[in-house]
Amino acid sequence: MRYDSDLLYRPPGEWKSYLLQCTIGCSNNKCTFCGMYKDKKFRIRPVEEILEDIDMARDYYGPGLQRVFLMDGDAIIMKTDDLLRVLHKLYQSFPRLEKVTLYAGPRSTLAKSPEELRTLREAGLSRAYLGVESGSDTVLKFIRKGVTADEMLLAGRRLVEAGIDL
Ligand code: SF4
């Protein structure tokens, strides 16, 4: 329930979701076309702070919450054990919770093993939004996306193979 700024971003389809800030800003933050997090220095919030926020949300919203979106950009970059703690706490605090979603950076996704991604899915990570932008290496380089088309494709495949909605 605590946010670093009033300017928060989420995918349009997440309008009903409780927004839980796990990272501040974007781990890449270099894309030429994107100004979302240009004013923010990227950092991962301490997990204890995130767990406290979940307690605050439980007090504020009650137990009926059904959707949660993990902000800001690239929450999947968190250590897998920490992300699992967040997921467990969310499902424990909100018994009717159906979906937990996040923005996934392609490099952070590839840094996780297929087993880690499957464990996250089993713990309730339902969907990842991956900003593919282009299948052209030339374009991806020009916009400073930080990965090649093949790496982007592999990141998407890993998420899908883990059973995460992409
Ligand atoms: S990775 Fe996404 S959020 Fe980060 S700068 Fe690029 S488009 Fe923006």
Side-chain angles (χ1 to χ4, degrees):
M1 299 296 290
R2 294 166 293 188
Y3 301 103
D4 77 307
S5 126
D6 291 337
L7 197 56
L8 303 170
Y9 293 94
R10 51 140 179 89
E14 299 295 334
W15 63 280
K16 280 187 183 170
S17 301
Y18 158 51
L19 305 177
L20 173 59
Q21 201 164 27
C22 294
T23 65
I24 310 287
C26 164
S27 62
N28 182 38
N29 214 16
K30 289 185 185 139
C31 298
T32 52
F33 61 90
C34 170
M36 292 202 298
Y37 306 114
K38 287 286 187 276
D39 297 340
K40 298 189 185 189
K41 188 170 157 39
F42 181 74
R43 69 181 172 89
I44 300 169
R45 287 182 77 200
V47 70
E48 297 301 338
E49 222 177 270
I50 301 170
L51 299 178
E52 275 174 23
D53 270 24
I54 297 173
D55 283 334
M56 289 179 199
R58 174 68 173 71
D59 290 344
Y60 186 78
Y61 292 114
L65 211 70
Q66 290 178 297
R67 292 185 67 126
V68 177
F69 177 70
L70 308 180
M71 298 191 302
D72 279 335
D74 202 17
I76 207 165
I77 200 172
M78 286 176 70
K79 282 185 193 155
T80 300
D81 283 349
D82 287 347
L83 210 37
L84 287 171
R85 285 181 71 191
V86 170
L87 289 166
H88 289 146
K89 173 98 180 173
L90 281 170
Y91 280 92
Q92 197 180 55
S93 305
F94 303 106
R96 292 178 60 204
L97 189 59
E98 290 173 357
K99 274 185 196 301
V100 179
T101 64
L102 46 64
Y103 280 138
R107 273 180 301 171
S108 316
T109 302
L110 290 174
K112 299 229 182 288
S113 68
E115 292 71 31
E116 284 178 291
L117 291 174
R118 254 193 306 276
T119 307
L120 289 168
R121 176 64 193 102
E122 282 160 14
L125 178 62
S126 335
R127 173 182 292 171
Y129 295 89
L130 184 69
V132 174
E133 326 302 352
S134 173
S136 156
D137 281 339
T138 309
V139 173
L140 289 171
K141 192 171 174 193
F142 182 74
I143 63 170
R144 303 179 72 197
K145 192 72 196 178
V147 285
T148 63
D150 281 348
E151 288 167 330
M152 186 67 85
L153 189 59
L154 186 59
R157 282 206 173 120
R158 290 256 177 96
L159 289 164
V160 170
E161 281 163 13
I164 296 169
D165 185 24
L166 179 63

